[in-house]
Amino acid sequence: MRNWIGILLAGAAVMNMYGEVTSVQVRNLDDFMSPPILRMDSQDRIAINFDILGDQHEYLRYRIIHCNADGQPSRLMESEFVGGFNEGMIDDYAYSANTYIHYVNYNIELPNPEMPILASGDYLLEVYPETDPDDVILTVPFSVTENKVFVDGIATSRTDRGYNSEYQQLNLQIDATSLGRINPYQDLIVTVMQNNRPETLRRVEHPMRVEGSKVDYEHIQDLIFEAGNEYRRFETVRADYPGMRVDSVKFIDDMWHAWLVPDQSRVESNYIYDSTQHGRFMIDEYNSSDPDLAADYIMVHFTLDAPQLSGGAIYLDGDFTSHRFDDFNLMRYDWRDGLYHAELPLKQGSYNYQYVVVPEGAPSSYPSPIEGNKYETRNEYLVRVYLREPGSRGDRLVGHAVINFN
């Protein structure tokens, strides 16, 4: 069974017979900082945008899958969540212009007349070749909300594990008046995710208390998060000139290379405020009105000055990695200079990143061994509220909110 959370952890860039799918973005067209969540009966739009490296356009189609709050496909019939046929042609594509690395850029906008969405909830969008529906080359998540409940809350460093230490805690209140007669202790599910990192997802199925239509989630251990640190940043909007935190650039073997300023561990350093994008990245090229087609791919060289790690590995993390942990974003230790290195081909733009440690055999990654935990960190928390009524065959997404630590 396909799993919404597992898709994020597995990553979205893949190698296949059609070339490499890369630079995958799922974005709200009206607000770069908003999550990819559509409000029903609104003018909201989201776009799924990606490249396939090479010179040849491929005929691609897509379909959507309705999922429950636990990430598993629901039992709704296709006719209950999508109008018409659950198959759309990707006819919005274009070739890169004046780039050294050639690619074809594809774009899907939702909602659209071809496939109207009828039900709220979490979704997976699958992309596949027209000739082989079983060969899924890309899977990305998005959500549709009924926007029926009001979600209020705070993220605070005054936690049940200490005050102004290494944690942040969420306290939430939901106004469920518009849902009518429900049992909040059984029918509501709340999920929270920090900075779009799927490993941080918490699922809470029972509130602390209910007073009339007000449902409170306070002093809940699952809503305590490691504070982490602000993301690191760099910019490659201009290929031939060093941008933010770029030490030098050079053209080698028909490709631009950018060497970033070497990074250090921040575990022992004091907190420094920085207005980041909570792990997001934006494709951009300084001299173009359409960077999706004009931005080139640059080999970005990362260096981390840290002792060699035993019992685990260090990876780069951020939305540009699709939060996966494989050879693509693995930091490799070079005993000759005593430094960690990685080289990633990334499309020109502005990027957020951090270093995470994945212990041997562990299913999760941890930024704290390299980045530290600073309670002042301006983390972003995405809260979703689902309604699972008795006998229902699919969870409804009835509300959401983005809460920032401040």
Side-chain angles (χ1 to χ4, degrees), residues 11 42 48 59 83 85 114 122 166 218 322 344 365 375 380 390:
S42 76
I48 294 92
Y59 292 96
F85 293 103
E114 190 174 28
D122 288 336
E166 57 188 287
E218 297 179 349
S322 295
L344 278 66
S365 68
Y375 73 86
E380 177 185 274

Side-chain angles (χ1 to χ4, degrees), residues 241-252:
Y241 187 83
M244 177 190 296
R245 289 199 53 77
V246 176
D247 183 65
S248 61
V249 295
K250 191 173 183 180
F251 191 75
I252 305 173

